[in-house]
Amino acid sequence: GENVEQHPSTLSVQEGDSAVIKCTYSDSASNYFPWYKQELGKGPQLIIDIRSNVGEKKDQRIAVTLNKTAKHFSLHITETQPEDSAVYFCAASEVPGNQFYFGTGTSLTVIP
Amino acid sequence: GAVVSQHPSRVICKSGTSVKIECRSLDFQATTMFWYRQFPKKSLMLMATSNEGSKATYEQGVEKDKFLINHASLTLSTLTVTSAHPEDSSFYICSAIRPGAESGRSPYEQYFGPGTRLTVT
């Protein structure tokens, strides 16, 4: 089965700096890679995703890159703000319809 | 984005009783919903896949007779924790797959509910 590893487990950055979270996956059949943000006591929220036919996707301050050959993908948050503080999960899936395999999460703290 | 609701958001029950948690997709129809369990500061653990009109598929180690899942319609799935015990206390989260594709969007987006905090005393 698929195995998703996520690093780092915790990350602290100064407000305005960039944050990068990296994930690797093991199953070359995985073709869809979403990222979720989870605030304390709430369910995860989809913030950006990328499909295997795309190498990079950007949405304002958030970007995701995918390297299929190396089987890794990364989340980049630029100009971080205190409200970006949360736990971020990466996931991999072989769509359509199959289950999602989650990374172990990264607790991001943005220091004002 | 799409909206998935869960009810209740928080429930406390006594050991031996049963608790039902509802998961609804409010603005789309979901043929597939997932149920997860999350322990403090841990990742999401998939419990089962719920498909409308058919039996749920449970992950290894999850007791299907204890965690009853019913996907009665394209917008509603329920998880019933039967004969709950303190070790069942956890954060339960559902999600729904939004089908179909809109221009510029992935057709495989998974939207999560806000979660249900279950405490069994």
Side-chain angles (χ1 to χ4, degrees):
Chain A
E2 176 64 277
N3 180 45
V4 178
E5 295 188 355
Q6 184 172 346
H7 300 280
S9 57
T10 60
L11 179 61
S12 292
V13 298
Q14 292 288 334
E15 181 177 358
D17 288 349
S18 295
V20 180
I21 303 170
K22 298 181 179 180
C23 286
T24 61
Y25 62 99
S26 61
D27 190 349
S28 57
S30 292
N31 56 13
Y32 175 61
F33 308 92
W35 285 89
Y36 299 91
K37 175 183 180 181
Q38 186 177 27
E39 298 177 340
L40 192 63
K42 298 183 179 180
Q45 181 182 18
L46 176 68
I47 56 172
I48 196 167
D49 57 11
I50 192 167
R51 296 175 67 181
S52 58
N53 58 352
V54 176
E56 183 174 359
K57 184 176 178 180
K58 189 173 181 180
D59 183 2
Q60 300 183 341
R61 296 186 298 108
I62 296 173
V64 57
T65 59
L66 170 66
N67 183 327
K68 283 195 301 181
T69 303
K71 295 197 189 71
H72 67 71
F73 56 111
S74 300
L75 176 70
H76 304 253
I77 305 174
T78 58
E79 300 173 28
T80 53
Q81 302 167 1
E83 49 266 38
D84 294 330
S85 297
V87 178
Y88 291 82
F89 291 99
C90 64
S93 179
E94 182 188 353
V95 295
N98 285 6
Q99 70 176 84
F100 290 68
Y101 296 87
F102 287 86
T104 48
T106 296
S107 178
L108 173 64
T109 302
V110 179
I111 304 166
Chain B
V3 179
V4 175
S5 70
Q6 264 183 259
H7 179 79
S9 59
R10 189 180 297 265
V11 58
I12 301 172
C13 70
K14 292 188 176 181
S15 186
T17 61
S18 295
V19 174
K20 179 185 282 189
I21 303 170
E22 292 186 349
C23 177
R24 293 181 186 272
S25 55
L26 298 184
D27 54 356
F28 65 98
Q29 294 183 327
T31 55
T32 301
M33 290 184 172
F34 297 106
W35 285 96
Y36 296 87
R37 182 173 180 178
Q38 187 177 35
F39 293 100
K41 297 186 178 181
K42 296 293 184 183
S43 189
L44 295 92
M45 183 188 79
L46 179 66
M47 298 175 65
T49 302
S50 172
N51 295 299
E52 188 268 339
S54 64
K55 290 184 178 181
T57 303
Y58 290 82
E59 295 301 300
Q60 192 172 11
V62 178
E63 299 177 59
K64 61 181 181 181
D65 294 330
K66 181 169 185 61
F67 298 99
L68 301 179
I69 292 172
N70 182 21
H71 197 149
S73 74
L74 288 172
T75 59
L76 173 64
S77 176
T78 60
L79 168 68
T80 302
V81 183
T82 62
S83 188
H85 291 284
E87 56 265 31
D88 298 325
S89 299
S90 192
F91 193 51
Y92 292 87
I93 309 173
C94 73
S95 71
I97 299 295
R98 178 177 176 165
E102 299 171 13
S103 177
R105 300 184 69 92
S106 166
Y108 316 118
E109 293 171 345
Q110 177 180 204
Y111 291 92
F112 286 88
T116 296
R117 173 71 59 192
L118 170 63
T119 303
V120 184
T121 60

